[in-house]
Amino acid sequence: MADGPTINTIAERAGVSIASVSRVLNGLPTRQETVRKVMAAADELGYVRNAVARSLKSRRTHQVAFAMADVGNPAYLAMLRQIQPVLKDAGYRLVLHSTDAVVADEIDVLHSLGERYVDGLIMVPLRVTEAHLEMLDAARAPVVIIGQVPEGTRVDNVRADSRTGVKLAIDHLHALGRRRIGMINGPLDTVPGAARGAAYREALGGVGLPYDEDLVQIGDFYRAEGGRAVAELLDRVPDVDALMCANDLIALGALDVLRAAGRRVPEDVAVVGMDDTDLAAASWPSLSSVSLGSAERGRAAAELMLERLQGGDGEPRLVTVAPRLVVRASTAGAPVADFPAGSRTDRKESAE
């Protein structure tokens, strides 16, 4: 093998046909199991693929982009940990874009699909504008959106169910005897901010509590901003006895401020976050949080992307991941249980 491995030797090692090896190495649609066998054999034999030549011939790069607002956000990291191995097993590299939720940057990423630098894009936009929808409609490569998009948008879509998740949290706090339940939210012009704010109002009505604007404070989806928002709320409504926070980073900021103010958690103020990131279990006290299935949403998005890359041309699919409430010390004083709302389903309704 002085001249190095060939597709013949790779086919022999993988136990597949030469034609199958050629299809895999040229990025053509092939069964995932065949891709795994061929890639494993190529690696074992030390085969070095000429990526430039392959891309020119097949118009494939074997790269997929993942665009999210903040690569440091634990919820996005949970998605990433699932997306990367699914794509890697199928022979794809992952390219990361951290957009800071800047609409212009997201539009630029969508526009660059026409340059064929990647074969597909998984995106988590916080805001979905008309410009997003126009670019999605004209996209020249498969796109999977994690988050809510308007009904009728022709794109594969993976969603959380924030409405049910917020209800789980409010029902839990109400059952603990909390009656002054505040809401610390992110910007209302974002998909999660709007959905979680509406869900909070609806959930209060479900347990017979009135909606009070004084109990709502808008900040941003970061720890420092969450702390600032909680401080403002406490100054305005000192008798608040529970906080529903729109994500875990806001909730961690709330714990910082409550601790500094001498408020005991959960005795004086119970706190619930959303996303159930790794930080929730590691905080002090440990944070009760609504899991929105970040990892499962990431895996579902990667699987939908692979279906498209391997030749799937059916109708756009909508996958909804059901939430569950994970109860910890910040509400109950000690870890108690998970309260599931259901399981992942493919369906036509739900909100982020």
Side-chain angles (χ1 to χ4, degrees), residues 46 63-65 111 114 116 130 142 152 161 169 175-176 233 245 273 280 316 319:
Q63 296 188 147
V64 173
H111 184 267
R116 305 298 300 182
E130 287 298 323
D161 183 358
L176 293 173
L233 180 67
C245 299
V319 175

Side-chain angles (χ1 to χ4, degrees), residues 121-150:
L121 169 66
I122 299 172
M123 175 175 277
V124 195
L126 287 185
R127 297 169 177 85
V128 178
T129 67
E130 287 298 323
H132 282 93
L133 298 178
E134 290 175 6
M135 293 303 300
L136 287 172
D137 187 58
R140 298 180 63 183
V143 179
V144 178
I145 295 294
I146 302 178
Q148 188 179 7
V149 292

Side-chain angles (χ1 to χ4, degrees), residues 197-233:
Y200 162 76
R201 186 167 191 157
E202 181 179 312
L204 288 180
V207 294
L209 293 179
Y211 175 79
D212 183 349
E213 288 188 1
D214 282 343
L215 287 169
V216 177
Q217 186 66 43
I218 307 302
D220 211 333
F221 296 108
Y222 300 98
R223 185 168 185 161
E225 283 294 302
R228 180 194 60 75
V230 171
E232 292 184 15
L233 180 67

Side-chain angles (χ1 to χ4, degrees), residues 17-41:
S17 68
I18 293 173
S20 292
V21 175
S22 179
R23 289 179 66 82
V24 170
L25 296 181
N26 285 298
L28 299 174
T30 312
R31 289 179 55 225
Q32 190 168 340
E33 182 59 27
T34 302
V35 173
R36 289 196 185 98
K37 289 180 179 179
V38 171
M39 297 303 294

Side-chain angles (χ1 to χ4, degrees), residues 57-75:
K57 181 178 180 180
S58 68
R59 298 184 61 82
R60 291 218 174 202
T61 66
H62 266 248
Q63 296 188 147
V64 173
F66 177 41
M68 82 303 291
D70 177 13
V71 73
N73 186 309

Side-chain angles (χ1 to χ4, degrees), residues 30-93:
T30 312
R31 289 179 55 225
Q32 190 168 340
E33 182 59 27
T34 302
V35 173
R36 289 196 185 98
K37 289 180 179 179
V38 171
M39 297 303 294
D43 288 342
E44 290 172 10
L45 294 170
Y47 178 76
V48 179
R49 293 167 292 162
N50 188 327
V52 174
R54 183 188 62 191
S55 177
L56 289 172
K57 181 178 180 180
S58 68
R59 298 184 61 82
R60 291 218 174 202
T61 66
H62 266 248
Q63 296 188 147
V64 173
F66 177 41
M68 82 303 291
D70 177 13
V71 73
N73 186 309
Y76 299 139
L77 289 176
M79 294 178 188
L80 174 60
R81 292 189 188 109
Q82 293 296 316
I83 293 170
Q84 184 165 8
V86 170
L87 295 176
K88 183 178 180 180
D89 285 348
Y92 289 88
R93 293 180 296 270

Side-chain angles (χ1 to χ4, degrees), residues 300-350:
E303 290 170 351
L304 288 174
M305 176 57 65
L306 280 184
E307 289 180 17
R308 295 298 178 188
L309 293 175
Q310 293 172 356
D313 58 358
E315 287 295 305
R317 287 182 56 195
L318 168 61
V319 175
T320 299
V321 176
R324 72 180 189 279
L325 173 65
V326 182
V327 177
R328 298 191 179 93
S330 68
T331 59
V336 179
D338 288 7
F339 294 88
S343 58
R344 192 184 102 182
T345 58
D346 290 4
R347 62 191 188 197
K348 290 295 183 183
E349 74 281 348
S350 159

